[in-house]
Amino acid sequence: MRAGKFITVEGSDGAGKSTQIDFMKHWLTERDIPVIQTREPGGTEVGELIRSILLNEREANFSDGTELLLVFAARMQHLDERIRPALRKGCWVVCDRFTDATYAYQGGGRGIEEERIAVLERWVQKGLQPDLTLFLDVPVEVSLNRARLRGALPDRFERESAGFKEAVRTAYRNRALADPGRIRLVDAGRPVEMVRQEIEKILAGLIEV
Ligand code: TMP
């Protein structure tokens, strides 16, 4: 039995996910909807350890398969320990990235076949899918510029080539086109306030369901 709703937020680095997630949490809380905010890879103690391996290991030589299995290992722990229990209690879950990121980064970026990802998705998620996914879409140049302005040390994915980033974006866009009922493509190249207003409308639609 699921009572809460599961919302995931996707986008390139620098698409403005964090700002919009803060807004969403605030918007739901104001309406007395219990909500937890979490992220992938991460969200649990084990998941955060896996995250630091995936993002920070500068010198490590990862095979693509290892990377794929690690994101799903973190996801299994996250679903068992946090996401499913929260949804069962009626809590909404807003998650910064989920399996669409795997199709985009490990599928589109690394070139792993979709079916391999789908096998793990079926095993780990056992049919659980987000009720809503917001894909905050920005052109690669915009995301690169915003990341540069932030000035933080780039992680292992941020250090990838512009070609990798284009492939990630294309994979996200294709998924949004293929499943418009669940994945809402939001043009995040616009001013933050306009993006926020669009997200507010989408959320309002979801609480009426
Ligand atoms: P971020 O959530 O802070 O943007 O960083 C997470 C990074 O991990 C991001 O570059 C995308 C990457 N990632 C994958 O490659 N596959 C996945 O399944 C997930 C959830 C994230």
Side-chain angles (χ1 to χ4, degrees):
M1 228 257 313
R2 261 172 82 181
K5 294 212 191 284
F6 183 26
I7 304 175
T8 61
V9 183
E10 303 281 355
S12 313
D13 301 296
K17 282 186 293 123
S18 311
T19 309
Q20 299 301 342
I21 287 173
D22 284 348
F23 159 70
M24 289 163 75
K25 214 175 106 186
H26 182 76
W27 192 91
L28 290 167
T29 307
E30 267 185 338
R31 282 157 186 79
D32 291 329
I33 295 172
V35 56
I36 61 162
Q37 176 188 342
T38 186
R39 67 174 180 181
E40 289 214 351
T44 65
E45 199 179 339
V46 166
E48 291 294 327
L49 288 170
I50 295 173
R51 179 186 178 93
S52 67
I53 296 173
L54 276 166
L55 268 60
N56 302 337
E57 285 307 330
R58 307 191 133 250
E59 310 303 334
N61 180 17
F62 277 82
S63 78
D64 294 345
T66 302
E67 191 178 280
L68 175 66
L69 290 169
L70 282 175
V71 293
F72 270 107
R75 185 160 300 137
M76 178 79 104
Q77 187 69 32
H78 199 197
L79 283 164
D80 289 351
E81 191 180 322
R82 269 196 96 193
I83 297 177
R84 287 187 207 279
L87 293 174
R88 269 199 297 269
K89 277 194 308 201
C91 197
W92 287 39
V93 175
V94 176
C95 189
D96 185 343
R97 299 195 191 277
F98 194 63
T99 306
D100 293 299
T102 312
Y103 282 100
Y105 284 80
Q106 282 65 50
R110 304 283 186 225
I112 295 178
E113 305 90 312
E114 245 180 53
E115 188 44 35
R116 252 181 226 284
I117 302 173
V119 167
L120 292 169
E121 179 183 29
R122 284 195 288 273
W123 179 48
V124 170
Q125 290 170 223
K126 301 178 185 74
L128 178 78
Q129 288 293 344
D131 296 287
L132 167 72
T133 298
L134 296 172
F135 167 45
L136 306 186
D137 186 35
V138 282
V140 171
E141 316 82 74
V142 174
S143 106
L144 288 176
N145 280 338
R146 288 184 182 170
R148 232 174 268 135
L149 284 176
R150 235 183 1 220
L153 212 59
D155 65 37
R156 216 168 51 81
F157 293 99
E158 288 162 346
R159 287 197 300 277
E160 286 294 341
S161 66
F164 178 92
K165 288 170 182 159
E166 286 291 357
V168 167
R169 181 182 184 213
T170 303
Y172 268 135
R173 290 176 66 93
N174 288 341
R175 286 186 70 70
L177 288 175
D179 192 359
R182 172 175 69 85
I183 308 178
R184 303 292 295 268
L185 193 154
V186 175
D187 173 1
R190 295 169 300 166
V192 176
E193 181 56 24
M194 282 178 76
V195 178
R196 189 189 67 71
Q197 282 171 11
E198 185 175 346
I199 292 178
E200 184 171 356
K201 276 199 204 116
I202 297 172
L203 284 181
L206 196 64
I207 56 173
E208 278 160 19
V209 180

